[in-house]
Amino acid sequence: MVAAGRGNALASRLIHRAHAESGWFLYATVCALVEADRARPGTAEHLAALPGIAIVDLDLPAALSVARATTWADAHTLYAAQPTPDRPDGAVIATTRPHTWKKQPVRILDVSP
C-alpha cells in the first residue's frame, strides 16, 4: 500500500487493472491500511476511496486470528488470503517484502522495484 503511494509502477498497474477490468479484484485489510497510514499518512484514506479496492473488515474470525500474531497487518492479510468458497485457491498477496511470506502457505506477487 505504501509502495503504491510512493509511485511504485507495478502496484499502480494493479490498482488500475482492478478498476478497469471486470473480474479483477484488489483487497485491502483494515489492519494493513492502518499500518500503511502510520508509515505514510493519508494512504489509508486514499486507497479506501479507490473504486477498484475492496476493504476487508476485521470480523470476529479475523480478529481471533490477528490476536495471536505480533504483526496485525501481516496476520490480517494472511487471514484474508486463505481459501474461501469465493476464492478456492485463496488470494495472491502483492508485496514489496516477499521474504515475509516465504514460510506461509500463500501465493505472492513481488512488486518490488
Side-chain angles (χ1 to χ4, degrees):
M1 294 179 195
V2 173
R6 290 187 175 144
N8 180 295
L10 293 174
S12 295
R13 284 185 206 144
L14 287 173
I15 292 168
H16 173 73
R17 195 161 190 183
H19 174 68
E21 291 187 35
S22 64
W24 266 80
F25 304 96
L26 286 179
Y27 301 94
T29 61
V30 294
C31 290
L33 279 172
V34 168
E35 190 170 305
D37 205 70
R38 286 179 178 162
R40 186 174 169 92
T43 299
E45 187 175 358
H46 175 72
L47 289 174
L50 295 173
I53 297 181
I55 305 302
V56 180
D57 291 328
L58 186 63
D59 59 10
L60 180 58
L64 295 174
S65 178
V66 166
R68 295 183 203 105
T70 55
T71 305
W72 284 29
D74 289 349
H76 195 191
T77 300
L78 177 62
Y79 175 83
Q82 298 305 306
T84 65
D86 293 343
R87 293 185 318 273
D89 294 328
V92 176
I93 298 174
T95 183
T96 58
R97 299 177 296 123
H99 60 279
T100 301
W101 306 101
K102 273 191 175 183
K103 295 184 180 183
Q104 299 299 331
V106 295
R107 297 173 296 152
I108 62 162
L109 173 62
D110 186 353
V111 295
S112 299

